[in-house]
Amino acid sequence: MTEKTPTPPNRQDPHLDPAEPAFDWMKPAGTGAGTAAKAQGTAPAGNTSPVPGAAAGKGQPAASAGTPASQGGATAARGGTPASQTEATLAQGGMPASNAGTPGSQAGSRADRKAAEAAVGPAAEPQGRGTHFREPLPTSALQVRPPQDEVERRNAERELANNTKPVLPRVMQVLLAVFYPLVLLVLAVRAVASPLFLWVEYNRPGFPGDGYGFSTDDRMTYGSYAVDYLSNWSGPRYLGELVNRSGDALFQEGEVSHMADVKLVILSTFAGGALLILLGIIAIIYLRRRSTGGVRRGLFAGSVATLVIILGLGTLAALGWQQFFTEFHRIFFANGTWTFALDDTLIRLFPGQFWVDSGIVIGALVLIASVATLILTWPTRKRRGLARKTKDKDTDALVASAKDGDAGTMDLPDAAQRRTRGNSATV
């Protein structure tokens, strides 16, 4: 079939559906807008006069949203709207047939058609087939401010939460203050119960000698056995089987029994001190993370308590050393198990001056450590200012986050607002 092939006499013209988007490129300018306007029941304001165009020479009727009268019988045969219904269409707000087929330039893009529809004005929603019900969005309650009493209640709860200080950091500070003097005392006892202190004591000027024949070397040798027994895990045989130069037993049975009792007290003290050190480290770690300046306050209170305790005990010991020494032994040992003759080995190795010097050294070590801690943790203006500055920063950050939470609460639906109200009380 070529261009010269004659057209069959019975061929019908193709039907162009005005609502088909595929034929928009064949429509003259303004037709797309007219189609949309008819679909919405309004006509464009500017299409009042036809403009001659190139579409007239093609022998095709102008496609439009309305039904032009020029389509004649073909339109009527296809069930289109006859020309007699044009007046009814105009009465209902439709576009006149003369304006529906206005020729012009080619139709623009979809955005241009949308712009033309927006220029005409909002059109009524069609209520025919295919219309969807639109319910209000869940965000329609935005920008609704809570009642004033609710806002005041939240502010009061937030202020109460900010002013309420947690209990656990205070408990940790108290425990640290209680543990500190006990740990210092245990460490001082451990320093005295060592061969080093024994050597210093035996070789210092003025230390009384043995009136029964022990030299300094004999004292150092036999005394080291006794001190080592207090910190090792050996049984009573460790001391019971020792002999002197003459082959006799170095320690009597009563002396070995007393040293076993002393060993039990010493090992229990060291174990308790190790446990207190572990708990003190845990308290320090917790306070460093949860309480600004909590470690300093705990150690400061502990050093003050240590000074009070050591000065009190030192005063009692200075006023009556013999009475103090006796009462101390009565607390830890049964009566009659810790008294010996002057020629017994324990008395020859550890005379009364040894225990006086041991008490002085223990008190001095504890006093020096507590004073040093007191100086390092003294609440100076600078330290208190730094702690207050850090606390103020934390409080400002908390208040800012709370305000942001209030602002977010006003922009949330009702269910989210209820969840936020429950969380704001725990700030």
Side-chain angles (χ1 to χ4, degrees):
M1 179 180 293
T2 62
E3 296 178 357
K4 298 181 179 181
T5 303
T7 303
N10 59 349
R11 189 186 72 174
Q12 299 181 357
D13 293 338
H15 170 64
L16 300 180
D17 188 1
E20 179 61 40
F23 296 101
D24 287 348
W25 65 275
M26 301 177 59
K27 301 176 183 179
T31 304
T35 304
K38 181 180 179 184
Q40 297 179 0
T42 58
N47 297 337
T48 56
S49 59
V51 179
K58 294 182 180 180
Q60 298 291 343
S64 63
T67 305
S70 60
Q71 291 181 354
T75 303
R78 291 191 297 269
T81 303
S84 62
Q85 298 180 0
T86 303
E87 297 179 358
T89 304
L90 292 176
Q92 296 178 0
M95 186 181 66
S98 59
N99 294 340
T102 304
S105 60
Q106 294 294 332
S109 62
R110 182 179 180 183
D112 296 337
R113 295 196 302 274
K114 292 293 182 181
E117 294 175 4
V120 172
E125 287 286 344
Q127 299 297 330
R129 183 178 179 181
T131 304
H132 299 282
F133 174 72
R134 294 183 180 181
E135 61 179 356
L137 297 177
T139 58
S140 59
L142 297 180
Q143 307 298 331
V144 177
R145 181 175 178 82
Q148 185 63 27
D149 56 349
E150 179 68 17
V151 175
E152 293 177 357
R153 184 185 65 82
R154 295 179 189 175
N155 293 336
E157 292 179 353
R158 187 178 300 110
E159 187 69 19
L160 179 62
N162 292 335
N163 295 333
T164 302
K165 295 182 180 180
V167 179
L168 189 57
R170 288 184 172 273
V171 173
M172 289 295 182
Q173 293 180 22
V174 173
L175 292 179
L176 186 60
V178 172
F179 294 163
Y180 185 72
L182 300 177
V183 170
L184 286 184
L185 185 60
V186 171
L187 294 178
V189 171
R190 184 66 185 91
V192 169
S194 63
L196 176 61
F197 175 77
L198 197 63
W199 180 87
V200 172
E201 188 68 11
Y202 286 153
N203 290 275
R204 77 169 180 85
F207 189 79
D210 179 32
Y212 296 94
F214 280 166
S215 63
T216 302
D217 184 65
D218 293 337
R219 278 182 163 180
M220 188 66 197
T221 301
Y222 300 146
S224 297
Y225 276 104
V227 172
D228 291 340
Y229 173 72
L230 297 178
S231 58
N232 61 28
W233 297 94
S234 300
R237 292 178 55 188
Y238 187 84
L239 295 179
E241 296 182 355
L242 292 178
V243 295
N244 54 22
R245 292 181 179 180
S246 62
D248 298 330
L250 184 62
F251 296 98
Q252 301 298 325
E253 184 178 354
E255 295 174 307
V256 175
S257 177
H258 177 65
M259 290 299 292
D261 295 339
V262 174
K263 180 175 184 175
L264 178 61
V265 173
I266 290 295
L267 291 181
S268 300
T269 302
F270 290 167
L275 179 61
L276 293 180
I277 291 175
L278 179 61
L279 295 177
I281 293 175
I282 294 175
I284 290 174
I285 294 175
Y286 177 83
L287 291 175
R288 284 181 61 88
R289 294 182 177 180
R290 299 299 181 88
S291 177
T292 303
V295 177
R296 178 186 59 79
R297 289 190 293 270
L299 293 179
F300 178 78
S303 61
V304 172
T306 304
L307 288 175
V308 173
I309 294 173
I310 200 64
L311 291 177
L313 294 178
T315 303
L316 294 177
L319 294 177
W321 169 254
Q322 192 61 37
Q323 184 67 25
F324 179 82
F325 188 78
T326 302
E327 296 299 330
F328 174 81
H329 279 75
R330 286 179 179 177
I331 294 174
F332 295 99
F333 310 108
N335 291 331
T337 61
W338 51 273
T339 56
F340 305 98
L342 294 177
D343 59 346
D344 289 340
T345 303
L346 287 180
I347 300 301
R348 295 168 63 184
L349 293 177
F350 309 107
Q353 187 62 42
F354 177 86
W355 299 112
V356 173
D357 295 343
S358 298
I360 293 174
V361 172
I362 290 175
L365 292 177
V366 174
L367 184 65
I368 292 173
S370 59
V371 170
T373 305
L374 185 69
I375 295 174
L376 294 176
T377 59
W378 187 271
T380 60
R381 181 178 300 177
K382 180 178 180 181
R383 289 173 183 153
R384 287 181 297 177
L386 292 177
R388 187 181 299 109
K389 183 177 180 181
T390 306
K391 183 177 180 180
D392 293 342
K393 288 183 178 179
D394 297 340
T395 305
D396 294 341
L398 185 62
V399 172
S401 62
K403 291 182 178 178
D404 294 341
D406 280 345
T409 303
M410 292 187 292
D411 295 340
L412 294 175
D414 294 339
Q417 288 182 10
R418 288 193 294 270
R419 291 194 298 269
T420 307
R421 293 170 187 173
N423 296 334
S424 62
T426 61
V427 175

